[in-house]
Amino acid sequence: MAVFCNRCGTGLPSSARFCSSCGSTIPPPQPMQGRPLVRPRVGRQIAGVCIALAHANGWDVSVVRILTVLGFFFSSGLVGIAYLAAWIGIPEEVPVVPGAYPPQV
Ligand SMILES: [Zn+2]
């Protein structure tokens, strides 16, 4: 896996911390997964369970929704029970309150 310099685009080994071409600092690679499992307050249609699962696993939300609906009909309600369990079990996203963070000095 390689990283690319944000300034000049030079390809570098993923372990590089500085660009060998322009000397720019290379930020460490950001993991694509590992986001906290939360139900967003915006964009959700029922309880945000599908969005939470999609975001946490890097799936497409619409695909998760379709699979959830299909699973609900083909599993005799087992998916519905799992959905309710997830609804209860997944914490709601903490709203971002302006001023809640300490001011930048
Ligand atoms: Zn560079």
Side-chain angles (χ1 to χ4, degrees), residues 13-30:
S14 59
S15 59
R17 289 295 170 262
F18 296 94
C19 175
S20 61
S21 178
C22 71
S24 178
T25 302
I26 307 299
Q30 299 296 317

Side-chain angles (χ1 to χ4, degrees), residues 2-13 16 18-23 26:
V3 296
F4 295 92
C5 173
N6 287 331
R7 185 184 295 176
C8 70
T10 299
L12 301 161
F18 296 94
C19 175
S20 61
S21 178
C22 71
I26 307 299

